Amino acid sequence: MTQYPNIISIKASSLKEILTQETAVIVEFGTIWSGASHIVAPILNNLMNDFPDIKMFRLDVEESPEIARDYGIFEFPTYLFFRNGILQDHVVGITSRQILNEKLQELAQNK
């Protein structure tokens, strides 16, 4: 998914550091082969332009299955929304642009 400049691929070893350094974060837990991830990625990439204070990261759970277990994730993609390292919300699977926009607005306003 490198064609989406607003979505940064990370390794599981980086997640804890990112959550402590960034104020507002979305993490996609997915797989390269997930069709749903490929459907939602361009929508989120585009929406992220409207939310410059929120950072978006993608974590391939096939490379680090233990991180998915740690967060109780069994369906892909799952999007976790964090503020100051604390989980605020989540979305599982294909979701509409409207719902994603609402979740991003909530995350941006929840200071």
Side-chain angles (χ1 to χ4, degrees):
M1 284 201 208
T2 57
Q3 70 266 31
Y4 303 112
N6 293 324
I7 302 173
I8 303 163
S9 293
I10 61 168
K11 303 285 184 192
S13 59
S14 303
L15 184 59
K16 187 174 183 177
E17 180 181 349
I18 287 167
L19 293 178
T20 58
Q21 291 181 351
E22 300 291 341
T23 304
V25 174
I26 302 171
V27 181
E28 175 199 346
F29 291 80
T31 61
I32 292 172
W33 51 262
S34 171
S37 291
H38 292 284
I39 291 170
V40 178
I43 297 168
L44 271 169
N45 186 68
N46 189 358
L47 280 172
M48 296 309 295
N49 289 323
D50 297 331
F51 299 94
D53 294 335
I54 300 174
K55 302 292 185 218
M56 169 107 196
F57 299 94
R58 180 180 192 286
L59 201 147
D60 186 340
V61 297
E62 287 191 323
E63 292 179 5
S64 305
E66 68 284 349
I67 196 79
R69 284 190 300 271
D70 291 348
Y71 282 94
I73 296 170
F74 301 101
E75 296 178 56
F76 309 110
T78 294
Y79 301 90
L80 299 184
F81 297 77
F82 293 90
R83 165 130 329 259
N84 298 320
I86 299 169
L87 181 63
Q88 302 292 309
D89 207 343
H90 73 282
V91 171
V92 178
I94 297 174
T95 305
S96 72
R97 178 183 179 85
Q98 178 181 346
I99 290 174
L100 291 168
N101 189 49
E102 289 170 6
K103 301 283 185 187
L104 288 165
Q105 286 179 0
E106 290 171 15
L107 188 62
Q109 294 172 358
N110 184 14
K111 297 179 181 181

